[in-house]
Amino acid sequence: MTEDRKHHKVVIIGSGPAGYTAALYASRANLSPLLYEGFFSGPAGGQLMTTTDVENYPGFPNGITGPDMMDAFRKQCERFGTILLREDVESVDLSSHPFKIVGKKNVVTCDALIIATGATAKKLDIEGAGEDGFWQKGVTACAICDGAMPIFRDKELYVIGGGDSAVEEATFLTKYGSKVYLAHRRDELRASKIMAKRAINHPKIEVLWNSVITKIEGDKVVRSVTVQNVKTKEEKKREAAGVFFAIGHKPNTNFLNGQLDMDEQGYLIVKGDTSYTNKEGVFAAGDVHDAVYKQAVTAAGSGCKAAIDAERWLSEKGLGD
Ligand code: NAP
């Protein structure tokens, strides 16, 4: 549905599970939300558009592809009156109310704003890791999403990173791989002591200290990696079926220009167990405020919370009808 109305009760920025779920709830509450799906920032649907099978979203016993799932989310909120705009938001002005949303082509205002712009998994520019190499053919940035794929079963797998995500993902991958190597660029893990200990002591995990992967090779899928010791510069080609980036995520909050409270990594801070940000009328949903769980199902749940919070806030302010 398209419309050129310039003021909206609710605007949602972001088209992943959090944004579409917020839109579903807001449209069923007759708030006719406008949802910015993004354009150059990536495909509508967010991170799931680069995932193959989603097998951990409840309700799909046979799994569903990421793109099919997001298409269903999109159609469901559109059915109830969400206005979808295929445009990137360049900036927002939260200094006065109604809030101003400046997109590439349109400027709109809104009473309540839901930010669901997600986070982007960081990747490294390693030879063979890109779209023209083995990205999604053994190279991924989400062990929990992709680890159960048959190509990884009983094979040697490599996780890059030394933080909590890396040790958690390496531990998770021991269910599938024959051996999991944690390639970390330093000689000490950043991960919390307890999680690091669990990984170091795990019989199927071996930490490759002071190590980076410099090359990924294969045929249709990954077959080997070249590991370099950063101290000795020695390089060794090793058998591998999977490379998992776990070097952190970057929340997509630059466009906010510091107008909302964020932690040192840029994740939005919400009040307690709600979606309220420090700015009245602005709500956060999904990975943009979640450095810990980062799952489609938790993002969808928080999108629901944000829409309910926004609806109640609008009613309290007499802006709901
Ligand atoms: P993180 O703590 O920022 O760790 C990123 C890791 O990637 C670091 O070890 C870093 O190395 C490495 N790295 C970064 N850039 C690199 C590069 N260019 N080349 C090679 N290695 C690179 O990120 P995270 O592990 O995703 O965790 C993010 C937050 O979520 C943390 O606060 C974490 O505690 C939390 N978290 C919690 C849990 C849990 O409690 N269950 C699980 C996951 C995440 P250096 O150490 O050398 O900098």
Side-chain angles (χ1 to χ4, degrees), residues 124 160-166 168 184-186 190 195 246-248 265 291-292 294:
L124 293 173
I160 302 177
D164 280 328
S165 295
E168 191 170 67
H184 182 39
R185 63 181 174 182
R186 290 190 296 132
R190 177 179 295 280
M195 287 176 69
I247 57 168
Q265 294 176 73
V292 177
K294 298 179 281 203

Side-chain angles (χ1 to χ4, degrees), residues 77-299:
C77 65
E78 212 177 8
R79 175 180 158 209
F80 291 102
T82 297
I83 305 152
L84 299 168
L85 197 54
R86 197 80 180 93
E87 185 172 332
D88 290 317
V89 170
E90 305 215 303
S91 64
V92 296
D93 182 354
L94 309 179
S95 63
S96 56
H97 196 264
F99 306 125
K100 196 186 322 171
I101 319 297
V102 181
K104 265 247 181 284
K105 291 194 208 134
N106 297 280
V107 176
V108 303
T109 57
C110 66
D111 295 323
L113 176 63
I114 297 176
I115 300 183
T117 43
T120 306
K122 293 185 202 160
K123 298 175 201 162
L124 293 173
D125 193 14
I126 298 172
E127 186 181 339
E131 303 272 356
D132 55 350
F134 297 98
W135 178 247
Q136 289 298 325
K137 293 174 192 146
V139 181
T140 118
C142 182
I144 293 171
C145 323
D146 301 323
M149 282 166 68
I151 56 168
F152 302 129
R153 295 279 161 121
D154 301 318
K155 297 277 172 38
E156 307 212 342
L157 309 176
Y158 285 76
V159 175
I160 302 177
D164 280 328
S165 295
V167 296
E168 191 170 67
E169 300 207 356
T171 309
F172 178 79
L173 288 170
T174 59
K175 290 191 194 76
Y176 309 106
S178 55
K179 178 103 186 179
V180 181
Y181 295 95
L182 192 60
H184 182 39
R185 63 181 174 182
R186 290 190 296 132
D187 58 3
E188 190 189 358
L189 293 176
R190 177 179 295 280
S192 58
K193 294 278 173 284
I194 186 161
M195 287 176 69
K197 197 170 158 201
R198 208 174 295 151
I200 288 168
N201 292 338
H202 197 292
K204 280 173 98 177
I205 297 178
E206 182 179 334
V207 185
L208 303 177
W209 302 106
N210 302 309
S211 296
V212 294
I213 291 177
T214 54
K215 198 174 189 181
I216 300 167
E217 293 172 279
D219 38 47
K220 285 187 178 142
V221 292
V222 171
R223 300 288 180 198
S224 71
V225 292
T226 301
V227 179
Q228 184 193 65
N229 181 304
V230 292
K231 292 219 159 140
T232 62
K233 299 292 172 204
E234 189 198 337
E235 289 205 331
K236 200 170 168 192
K237 190 165 164 177
R238 306 165 67 116
E239 193 182 308
V243 178
F244 298 80
F245 291 120
I247 57 168
H249 282 71
K250 194 180 170 330
N252 301 318
T253 46
N254 282 355
F255 73 100
L256 293 168
N257 214 8
Q259 292 175 86
L260 296 174
D261 284 352
M262 299 171 197
D263 69 13
E264 64 285 354
Q265 294 176 73
Y267 285 96
L268 293 181
I269 294 172
V270 292
K271 293 186 179 162
D273 194 26
T274 73
S275 65
Y276 279 74
T277 67
N278 63 306
K279 184 89 197 168
E280 235 198 293
V282 184
F283 305 86
D287 289 11
V288 74
H289 81 313
D290 173 14
V292 177
Y293 299 104
K294 298 179 281 203
Q295 299 302 299
V297 68
T298 50

